[in-house]
Amino acid sequence: MTASPPPARIHAILAREAPVAVVFRRGPSKQVQMLTWDLTTDKITPGQWLKHRVYAEGADLSPDGRHLVYTAASHNPRHGVGNGYVAISKPPFFTALALYPLTWLDGEGGVFLDNRRVWIAASRKARGGEGLLRSNGLDRVSRLSGALAPNGGHDMPGLRRDGWDLADFLNDRQYGPLAARVWTWERPVARGWALRRTITHAFCERRAGLNGNWHWQAHELYGPDGSTDLNTEWADTWQGEVLFARDGCLYRMTPGDAPHLVADLTPNTFRPIRAPYEGVSLPRPSRKRWHPLEVTR
């Protein structure tokens, strides 16, 4: 008897000014597929696969949904991009218009201020230059300001921008050998209903120093009769509905009604796909040129 494949892990990002979401489907661990979700028709458009680890919590989508900034890691020193990189692409493709090496993977990636300006967490210059970025109408800004400026070390400006309110913050919570920081954010869904997102960032210290970190989310829906655990790592709200992922599937739900299945992404399997646009390439010591999608060939 053949065992069923484990369900895919799913995270999504909603555009602020367009009815579209970018979906990351992960599974196996270093195979990630990007898809787009039309929120008006529920059409799912499959896109490119990447055989790197993608850190979805450090990603952001432009208000019009046309550009994405994400954080990923190849964990291969030959690629010359530090411990990982921040890249900007056109969904549903990972092919980079610009790529910024990271010294340390801390979950941060970038933030779109509007459809043209983007802030990048990486301090190092773009490998391969920013010519493709500018030719696509994008500019990198040096710092966040105004409403997006961080308000203390516990702040998450991107969530505030998207309508989430910080309900609670614990700086030191213990999970056995793990020490954790825990954020609780809330966002209204409809009259009398709210979505609560609990974000936990935990780490374990040993004699050698910091050894591993873990980041996970949980979601509850609060209504007139109490709360319901959505049993999912990703959920968000859109026009009075709750959108969420569970066991490799995408769902949408009107509060008080049963969930509606949009798509089951678990059966999706890797295949190499080329983006319909030019991407940046990087020189490396071996005199060959490395591209972020090299490992997909």
Side-chain angles (χ1 to χ4, degrees):
M1 182 176 179
T2 303
S4 299
R9 298 182 63 180
I10 296 175
H11 187 95
I13 306 171
L14 277 58
R16 305 191 297 280
E17 298 175 1
V20 64
V22 166
V23 179
F24 297 105
R25 178 222 177 272
R26 179 186 173 196
S29 61
K30 287 186 180 180
Q31 292 186 11
V32 182
Q33 183 186 27
M34 192 192 306
L35 312 94
T36 53
W37 177 6
D38 186 322
L39 300 178
T40 58
T41 66
D42 278 342
K43 179 182 178 182
I44 304 293
T45 302
Q48 210 168 32
W49 288 80
L50 183 64
K51 285 188 176 179
H52 290 178
R53 176 72 163 86
V54 175
Y55 297 85
E57 63 272 13
D60 194 30
L61 192 59
S62 63
D64 60 9
R66 294 180 57 203
H67 294 99
L68 174 78
V69 56
Y70 66 91
T71 303
S74 66
H75 300 293
N76 188 336
R78 293 181 303 151
H79 292 163
V81 288
N83 288 314
Y85 58 89
V86 177
I88 299 173
S89 70
K90 296 181 179 182
F93 302 97
F94 286 105
T95 297
L97 300 172
L99 186 144
Y100 304 86
L102 287 171
T103 303
W104 176 253
L105 281 169
D106 58 5
E108 288 189 336
V111 174
F112 279 95
L113 282 68
D114 50 39
N115 289 325
R116 182 180 62 84
R117 298 177 298 159
V118 59
W119 172 80
I120 304 297
S123 59
R124 296 161 69 179
K125 293 182 179 180
R127 296 293 305 274
E130 294 181 327
L132 290 176
L133 194 69
R134 291 189 290 270
S135 66
N136 280 271
L138 298 176
D139 290 317
R140 181 187 183 185
V141 298
S142 58
R143 65 178 182 274
L144 293 172
S145 59
L148 284 173
N151 183 22
H154 65 278
D155 192 23
M156 296 182 177
L159 287 179
R160 283 195 289 106
R161 176 203 62 192
D162 294 342
W164 294 85
D165 295 317
L166 183 62
D168 193 20
F169 173 69
L170 296 174
N171 190 49
D172 187 10
R173 182 172 179 176
Q174 293 295 131
Y175 290 90
L178 302 181
R181 306 178 77 186
V182 182
W183 295 257
T184 302
W185 294 82
E186 291 185 351
R187 186 178 186 183
V189 181
R191 185 179 179 87
W193 297 85
L195 180 64
R196 174 172 290 186
R197 174 182 293 176
T198 301
I199 301 173
T200 303
H201 187 193
F203 58 89
C204 178
E205 289 195 12
R206 299 179 181 175
R207 285 186 299 174
L210 190 66
N211 189 62
N213 65 79
W214 294 263
H215 181 106
W216 66 90
Q217 299 183 6
H219 296 84
E220 293 178 284
L221 182 62
Y222 282 77
D225 299 323
S227 64
T228 301
D229 186 351
L230 295 179
N231 190 27
T232 177
E233 285 197 0
W234 173 80
D236 210 331
T237 72
W238 187 75
Q239 296 188 355
E241 291 184 290
V242 177
L243 312 178
F244 65 97
R246 180 190 296 158
D247 295 332
C249 298
L250 288 171
Y251 294 89
R252 65 193 309 161
M253 177 178 64
T254 300
D257 294 342
H260 165 69
L261 174 65
V262 175
D264 183 356
L265 304 183
T266 297
N268 295 12
T269 55
F270 173 84
R271 63 188 183 96
I273 297 174
R274 291 288 182 182
Y277 61 87
E278 181 185 2
V280 68
S281 294
L282 307 179
R284 64 182 183 182
S286 65
R287 296 184 180 179
K288 295 181 181 180
R289 296 183 67 80
W290 174 75
H291 188 276
L293 300 180
E294 180 184 58
V295 290
T296 70
R297 296 174 189 172

